[in-house]
Amino acid sequence: MIRKIIPAFLIFNFAFFITRSQAPKSYTSSEILLQIKKLNVLGSVLYVAAHPDDENTRLLAYLANGKLYRTAYLSMTRGDGGQNLIGDELGVDLGLIRTQELLAARRIDGAEQFFSRAFDFGYSKSPDETLKFWGNDKVLGDVVWVIRKFRPDVIITRFPTTGEGGHGHHTASAILAGEAFDAAADPTKFPEQLKQGVTVWQAKRILWNTFNFGGTNTQSPDQFKLECGDYNPILGKSYGEIAAASRSQHKSQGFGVPAQRGSVIEYLKIIKGKAPVDDLMNDVDVTWKRADNAAISNLINKIVEKFDVQHPENSVPALVDLYKKVELLKDGFWKTQKLDAVKDIIQNCSGLFMDATTNTPYAVQGDSIEINLVVNNRSGAKILSADAHINNDYIIFDQLQKNVNSVKDYTFYVGRNKKLTQPYWLEEPMEKGSFNVADQQQIGKGESDPFSVVFSMMIEGKEFKFTKPVRYKHTDPVKGELYQPVNIVPAFSVQTIPKIAINNSFNDWEIKSFKDNNLFRNYVKTRSSGTIVGYNNDTLLRKNQVIRLFDKPSIQQIPVYDSLANQQFYTYYDTLFNENGNPYLGLHQIEYDHIPSIQYTQPEIFTSIDIDLKIAGKTVGYIPGAGDKVPEALQAMGYKVVRLKQSDIVAANLKQFDAIVTGVRAYNTNEWMNDVYDELMKYINDGGLLLVQYNTSNRIGPVVAKISPYPLNISRNRITDEDAKVNFLLPDHPALNYPNKITDMDFEGWIQERSVYHADKVDAEYQKILSMKDPGEKEHDGSLIIANYGKGKFVYTGLVFFRELPAGVPGAYRLFANLIANDRNK
């Protein structure tokens, strides 16, 4: 039996903060001109799908930059349950990465980004299962909220309700969009939202953006068509080129694509509402008449006509006058949208630069931080009386001179109880299929608002306020000047080394404290101490210990002793608390060049597994693929693990390994795997064991024939039910008996799914070990196949060890030990 002792308040009680690497954005005159033209369009389109990467970036780019509509993408999930092509992050971590990839994509194609509270729990084969996990009414309410808040005239879904999109999440997103189309206009549906600053809203129509890919063609000549391949001379790019740059931000999914040029037709099928005839916005007034002030259009046209690309600052007086006219509008919605847009254009035209930076990424509870404030009126526009507002203090700048930095420094004290910077969707414990968000106003937002400063100044006699994030600025000798926000963090953090222990009597807690920009220094400036207390299910695991941290690099290791009795299958989770009963937090960081640095804190959890585990062999060679945490699991099992590069894979070197394991997608990500095929086959032939973890069928290309000694295909078959019954086709096979006797019990407690990308159409030399099925489907027998070759053995498995081993699933460890135990060398 597997026992998991998990204090309830530890589960997903994250504190979180994201850093942005982007420098303050400046706009060219052509981009500013397009922004001014967009002021004359009062139409909105909302695109709806399930995941990061589902959106049609070409259509978004065309609608936002060609038609100049206010355009947004609502992704039901953040992509938490997918697979990772660039690293070993999964689950919530992967969702954080993909959130930033989506936000980066929107900065390129010009659309906005929204999310529901739905959690991507992995591949689903039916919308019914999806909606059950997500909570139909909960996520429907989120879609209704986004519609009422964004107020789209047209809604477009990526997928149909009839299943052609394949994934259950895809179909569910279309079902929810269709239901929300009606519910958003019904005051009896989710009436509590109407007290939160929104009103009912009826979109004019909802359409399905039909497609022709993956062997499925849902397009037809009678559908409404949009030419989305045009060239935009103001931006100097076609919408296909913009779309390619946007879609290529989905790097964790390997979705880099080439730029497309030339005519491209998008097809749309009416689902509800009146079908468009010759324009997507038929029967929708997208002019200023809908705001009861057609005269504003003439003002904007004049600004466009007189716009000087050499001197955009000359347009500032007219833009300020326009701002005053928009302030008089009675239509509160478009008044708010256009006031924000005009204010941004005034800043862009004037070249006004505002910056709030620090020399550290950390604002520490109970400490202070120095903030450097800079304002520069680069174009010499008529700007007076600049000040900055922080923490109820006002910092007054000297009179602004043309293109001269006006600089002020401010010391900000961070209260001991100041709320840690964190993502709104992780503030509350989550459900299995959705996040919980207490603040209705946060729902739908892409990310939490950063720690910010408000700059205020008089421009052409009118006061304007600009909110800017406080950011950590530093210079990298290769990458140049980099910006990242300042994050409010706790004074101390802890880290377990290692994260998982198997049949060990103790583990070490590493206590770290931080200061300035060095991760391993005290945050606090004075001598500090704290009492460490460990509890597990109300059992004291160690005596109270006092640690003292000084104003210097400080790391202390504290042994953690397991006082609980050994059992055959036993998993427990342990944490550290201070004397006030609050858990110390661990600091985790995710770094990739294509997205901002991501850091978050959470109660540090130590996983200990006490199981009847036997291993055969001592040394394993590991060929990394897309990234996984299997090597750490192998080390916890007692193996010496050596990571192998291409140059290491030669016959003489491979003889030292009892087994060689390829990481997930190793044949997808390492083009050189073809070049070492002969060496690997010789290793097997001479008595070695090669275990290949899953590879995807759609990105393997020519290496398929060179994975294995005998022919096999890789299919898209998978088992998504993590509790699916597993049948032993060859119960006497060594894989199920040596060195551990595998039983049904070893398949208990698995998470998310059983297997992916099964072997198919395999040679007769292979033995099929297991079969399983999802509800209502036939049995699949390709999740684990084994063949003898010469004196050795080849194993291919789609079983998701990359998920189960880091999760501490005991049976996964026992089975994996068997698969890399070469019984032919007993």
Side-chain angles (χ1 to χ4, degrees):
M1 182 179 72
I2 303 174
R3 292 183 57 200
K4 296 186 178 181
I5 304 175
I6 312 174
F9 53 84
L10 295 181
I11 303 175
F12 291 108
N13 180 20
F14 292 84
F16 169 99
F17 32 96
I18 291 180
T19 58
R20 296 173 179 79
S21 58
Q22 294 85 12
K25 172 69 174 174
S26 295
Y27 293 89
T28 66
S29 288
S30 61
E31 291 172 318
I32 296 171
L33 178 60
L34 195 67
Q35 294 168 4
I36 298 172
K37 286 176 172 285
K38 195 165 187 172
L39 292 175
N40 246 342
V41 180
L42 282 70
S44 302
V45 178
L46 179 66
Y47 200 89
V48 180
H51 309 107
D53 86 348
D54 287 344
E55 76 275 22
N56 184 335
T57 53
R58 180 173 49 243
L59 182 55
L60 292 179
Y62 167 73
L63 294 173
N65 301 284
K67 300 300 291 183
L68 303 181
Y69 301 139
R70 185 167 174 246
T71 306
Y73 172 45
L74 168 58
S75 177
M76 294 296 167
T77 75
R78 296 176 184 268
D80 326 74
Q83 296 150 10
N84 188 354
L85 193 65
I86 60 174
D88 59 14
E89 296 86 4
L90 296 172
V92 169
D93 279 1
L94 182 57
L96 299 178
I97 292 172
R98 292 188 175 177
T99 293
Q100 289 302 313
E101 289 177 337
L102 263 185
L103 293 173
R106 297 295 80 79
R107 286 190 288 269
I108 291 172
D109 59 39
E112 300 175 48
Q113 182 62 53
F114 298 115
F115 294 94
S116 84
R117 289 175 290 177
F119 178 70
D120 182 354
F121 58 85
Y123 191 88
S124 174
K125 294 182 178 179
S126 78
D128 292 339
E129 178 194 44
T130 297
L131 294 172
K132 180 180 178 181
F133 269 88
W134 285 353
N136 189 105
D137 288 349
K138 180 178 184 177
V139 180
L140 174 60
D142 292 354
V143 182
V144 169
W145 170 257
V146 171
I147 291 174
R148 287 172 172 174
K149 198 168 186 179
F150 184 72
R151 294 174 64 172
D153 299 302
V154 174
I155 299 173
I156 300 174
T157 68
R158 169 78 282 190
F159 302 105
T161 60
T162 47
E164 290 90 338
H167 200 317
H169 295 186
H170 294 167
T171 306
S173 72
I175 292 172
L176 290 168
E179 292 178 355
F181 176 83
D182 296 321
D186 187 343
T188 68
K189 304 294 185 182
F190 308 100
E192 68 281 359
Q193 295 180 2
L194 303 179
K195 301 176 183 178
Q196 296 285 333
V198 299
T199 62
V200 293
W201 181 255
Q202 179 64 72
K204 181 63 66 175
R205 57 184 58 94
I206 181 170
L207 305 105
W208 162 33
N209 182 199
T210 59
F211 50 81
N212 182 7
F213 54 75
T216 302
N217 184 5
T218 61
Q219 298 173 344
S220 64
D222 62 336
Q223 294 170 359
F224 183 75
K225 304 175 188 64
L226 288 174
E227 169 59 75
C228 295
D230 288 341
Y231 172 75
N232 188 317
I234 295 179
L235 298 179
K237 295 178 181 179
S238 70
Y239 302 117
E241 291 172 295
I242 297 172
S246 172
R247 187 163 183 78
S248 294
Q249 299 307 303
H250 297 299
K251 300 183 189 300
S252 64
Q253 302 182 70
F255 280 165
V257 295
Q260 291 186 341
R261 301 167 186 86
S263 175
V264 178
I265 303 298
E266 291 292 340
Y267 292 77
L268 299 106
K269 181 179 179 180
I270 189 68
I271 302 299
K272 291 183 178 181
K274 186 177 180 181
V277 178
D278 54 7
D279 191 281
L280 187 65
M281 291 290 179
N282 277 150
D283 302 318
V284 178
D285 189 348
V286 298
T287 73
W288 279 97
K289 292 179 181 178
R290 79 183 303 177
D292 297 323
N293 198 327
I296 289 180
S297 180
N298 295 328
L299 292 176
I300 296 171
N301 289 333
K302 290 179 181 179
I303 294 173
V304 171
E305 292 170 5
K306 295 181 179 180
F307 184 77
D308 185 345
V309 295
Q310 294 292 330
H311 295 283
E313 70 276 10
N314 292 345
S315 296
V316 171
L319 286 165
V320 172
D321 183 58
L322 173 63
Y323 187 92
K324 295 175 181 177
K325 295 293 194 299
V326 175
E327 280 186 312
L328 301 176
L329 288 177
K330 295 180 180 179
D331 186 318
F333 177 78
W334 283 109
K335 174 181 175 179
T336 300
Q337 301 304 319
K338 295 305 182 181
L339 283 177
D340 289 342
V342 175
K343 183 176 69 173
D344 289 341
I345 295 171
I346 289 172
Q347 178 189 342
N348 299 337
C349 281
S350 64
L352 179 61
F353 179 83
M354 294 162 284
D355 212 11
T357 61
T358 71
N359 62 0
T360 172
Y362 305 117
V364 185
Q365 289 175 325
D367 204 350
S368 59
I369 187 172
E370 298 296 323
I371 301 176
N372 180 255
L373 303 166
V374 179
V375 177
N376 189 320
N377 180 10
R378 293 181 290 184
S379 68
K382 189 178 178 181
I383 302 175
L384 305 172
S385 306
D387 63 63
H389 182 202
I390 313 175
N391 200 32
N392 296 322
D393 289 334
Y394 287 88
I395 300 92
I396 308 299
F397 291 90
D398 298 330
Q399 183 66 41
L400 299 182
Q401 304 296 322
K402 180 179 180 180
N403 203 27
V404 174
N405 289 332
S406 184
V407 182
K408 293 290 181 179
D409 292 317
Y410 176 79
T411 300
F412 176 75
Y413 174 73
V414 184
R416 292 184 181 276
N417 296 318
K418 183 75 172 178
K419 183 180 178 181
L420 298 173
T421 309
Q422 55 192 326
Y424 70 86
W425 64 96
L426 294 179
E427 289 182 358
E428 304 288 336
M430 66 174 291
E431 310 293 337
K432 184 175 183 179
S434 64
F435 299 106
N436 289 318
V437 179
D439 185 352
Q440 180 69 47
Q441 296 298 330
Q442 297 294 317
I443 294 173
K445 294 173 61 174
E447 59 184 336
S448 299
D449 295 330
F451 174 38
S452 299
V453 171
V454 177
F455 290 90
S456 177
M457 57 205 68
M458 301 294 292
I459 303 176
E460 294 291 332
K462 175 70 176 176
E463 183 182 23
F464 289 90
K465 294 183 179 181
F466 303 91
T467 301
K468 301 296 178 183
V470 178
R471 293 181 282 195
Y472 162 50
K473 183 173 73 172
H474 67 288
T475 302
D476 182 276
V478 174
K479 301 174 184 177
E481 185 178 72
L482 298 176
Y483 280 79
Q484 298 181 355
V486 173
N487 309 290
I488 300 171
V489 298
F492 303 98
S493 86
V494 299
Q495 181 179 2
T496 53
I497 304 174
K499 296 291 186 185
I500 294 179
I502 299 176
N503 298 337
N504 288 342
S505 61
F506 69 90
N507 194 45
D508 281 342
W509 289 96
E510 183 173 86
I511 311 301
K512 298 180 180 179
S513 62
F514 310 92
K515 180 191 172 186
D516 298 331
N517 60 352
N518 190 325
L519 192 62
F520 303 106
R521 291 182 181 171
N522 271 338
Y523 271 150
V524 292
K525 297 177 180 177
T526 58
R527 185 174 299 185
S528 302
S529 67
T531 301
I532 298 296
V533 184
Y535 290 99
N536 185 272
N537 200 31
D538 297 326
T539 301
L540 184 66
L541 293 185
R542 68 198 72 80
K543 294 180 179 180
N544 294 5
Q545 301 179 58
V546 177
I547 60 168
R548 289 183 173 83
L549 301 171
F550 303 93
D551 189 16
K552 62 181 181 180
S554 181
I555 299 176
Q556 294 193 29
Q557 291 189 353
I558 300 175
V560 177
Y561 295 93
D562 179 3
S563 65
L564 300 173
N566 291 344
Q567 299 184 31
Q568 181 181 8
F569 292 153
Y570 182 70
T571 301
Y572 77 86
Y573 299 83
D574 185 27
T575 189
L576 282 179
F577 298 81
N578 62 25
E579 65 268 36
N580 297 321
N582 298 317
Y584 279 102
L585 301 174
L587 182 67
H588 183 50
Q589 186 165 339
I590 302 171
E591 292 279 358
Y592 291 103
D593 285 344
H594 71 291
I595 59 173
S597 172
I598 301 172
Q599 299 180 61
Y600 65 89
T601 60
Q602 65 177 6
E604 187 72 357
I605 297 174
F606 162 47
T607 304
S608 178
I609 308 171
D610 196 352
I611 56 175
D612 178 13
L613 174 68
K614 303 179 183 68
I615 65 173
K618 298 179 179 179
T619 307
V620 175
Y622 202 85
I623 303 175
D628 57 66
K629 296 178 181 177
V630 174
E632 290 81 356
L634 289 170
Q635 290 172 332
M637 292 165 70
Y639 292 101
K640 175 184 177 183
V641 179
V642 179
R643 287 173 170 81
L644 302 176
K645 306 183 298 294
Q646 180 179 2
S647 59
D648 299 323
I649 304 177
V650 293
N653 186 48
L654 299 183
K655 291 181 180 179
Q656 65 179 299
F657 300 113
D658 297 297
I660 294 175
V661 177
T662 67
V664 298
R665 295 195 185 190
Y667 288 85
N668 298 138
T669 59
N670 300 322
E671 293 183 2
W672 50 263
M673 292 298 291
N674 276 326
D675 300 328
V676 299
Y677 172 79
D678 291 337
E679 298 291 339
L680 290 173
M681 293 304 106
K682 186 177 188 310
Y683 163 76
I684 302 173
N685 188 67
D686 292 343
L689 184 150
L690 174 65
L691 184 150
V692 175
Q693 296 184 83
Y694 91 93
N695 289 268
T696 60
S697 58
N698 59 334
R699 288 180 178 268
I700 290 179
V703 303
V704 170
K706 288 196 170 186
I707 285 181
S708 54
Y710 309 113
L712 65 85
N713 288 336
I714 295 177
S715 72
R716 298 184 65 83
N717 294 334
R718 62 201 302 159
I719 303 300
T720 62
D721 181 0
E722 64 268 35
D723 297 319
K725 178 175 173 49
V726 178
N727 301 305
F728 297 174
L729 301 180
L730 300 173
D732 296 327
H733 194 280
L736 301 177
N737 294 276
Y738 175 76
N740 303 289
K741 177 66 176 178
I742 302 301
T743 69
D744 290 343
M745 194 178 205
D746 290 291
F747 290 95
E748 293 180 1
W750 284 47
I751 65 168
Q752 186 162 321
E753 56 195 347
R754 287 285 193 207
S755 58
V756 295
Y757 298 102
H758 293 181
D760 192 23
K761 299 178 182 178
V762 302
D763 189 89
E765 293 290 335
Y766 290 104
Q767 294 176 298
K768 300 175 180 179
I769 310 303
L770 306 172
S771 74
M772 57 195 81
K773 67 176 182 177
D774 276 325
E777 296 189 354
K778 66 177 183 179
E779 291 280 330
H780 290 283
D781 56 12
S783 64
L784 177 60
I785 62 171
I786 300 175
N788 294 329
Y789 182 69
K791 299 178 182 178
K793 183 179 293 187
F794 172 83
V795 180
Y796 176 83
T797 181
L799 294 170
V800 290
F801 290 107
F802 70 98
R803 295 195 192 279
E804 311 307 322
L805 297 179
V809 177
Y813 279 91
R814 286 165 43 84
L815 179 57
F816 202 86
N818 283 16
L819 297 184
I820 58 176
N822 195 344
D823 62 291
R824 305 191 76 191
N825 291 335
K826 284 192 293 186

Short mmCIF file of all heavy atoms in Angstrom, two decimals, residues 199 202 291 569 615 625 724:
data_model
loop_
_atom_site.label_atom_id
_atom_site.label_comp_id
_atom_site.label_asym_id
_atom_site.label_seq_id
_atom_site.Cartn_x
_atom_site.Cartn_y
_atom_site.Cartn_z
N THR A 199 -21.35 44.35 -17.32
CA THR A 199 -22.76 44.23 -17.66
C THR A 199 -22.93 43.04 -18.59
O THR A 199 -21.95 42.47 -19.09
CB THR A 199 -23.26 45.50 -18.38
OG1 THR A 199 -22.53 45.67 -19.61
CG2 THR A 199 -23.05 46.73 -17.50
N GLN A 202 -23.99 40.75 -25.44
CA GLN A 202 -24.35 39.84 -26.52
C GLN A 202 -23.45 40.10 -27.72
O GLN A 202 -23.53 41.16 -28.35
CB GLN A 202 -25.81 40.02 -26.92
CG GLN A 202 -26.24 39.11 -28.07
CD GLN A 202 -26.16 37.64 -27.69
OE1 GLN A 202 -26.97 37.15 -26.90
NE2 GLN A 202 -25.18 36.92 -28.24
N ALA A 291 -20.18 55.18 -30.08
CA ALA A 291 -19.92 55.89 -28.82
C ALA A 291 -20.60 57.26 -28.83
O ALA A 291 -20.28 58.11 -27.99
CB ALA A 291 -18.42 56.04 -28.60
N PHE A 569 5.64 -0.42 1.01
CA PHE A 569 5.43 0.74 0.15
C PHE A 569 5.10 1.92 1.05
O PHE A 569 4.07 1.92 1.71
CB PHE A 569 4.26 0.52 -0.82
CG PHE A 569 4.51 -0.52 -1.86
CD1 PHE A 569 3.47 -1.22 -2.42
CD2 PHE A 569 5.81 -0.80 -2.28
CE1 PHE A 569 3.69 -2.17 -3.38
CE2 PHE A 569 6.04 -1.75 -3.24
CZ PHE A 569 4.99 -2.45 -3.80
N ILE A 615 17.86 -3.63 -7.07
CA ILE A 615 18.42 -3.23 -8.35
C ILE A 615 19.49 -4.22 -8.77
O ILE A 615 20.11 -4.88 -7.93
CB ILE A 615 18.99 -1.80 -8.32
CG1 ILE A 615 20.19 -1.71 -7.37
CG2 ILE A 615 17.92 -0.80 -7.92
CD1 ILE A 615 20.90 -0.37 -7.43
N GLY A 625 17.55 13.87 -23.49
CA GLY A 625 16.70 14.26 -24.61
C GLY A 625 16.19 15.66 -24.42
O GLY A 625 16.94 16.60 -24.18
N ALA A 724 -6.03 3.07 -15.36
CA ALA A 724 -6.42 1.99 -16.27
C ALA A 724 -5.82 0.67 -15.82
O ALA A 724 -4.66 0.59 -15.40
CB ALA A 724 -5.95 2.32 -17.69
#
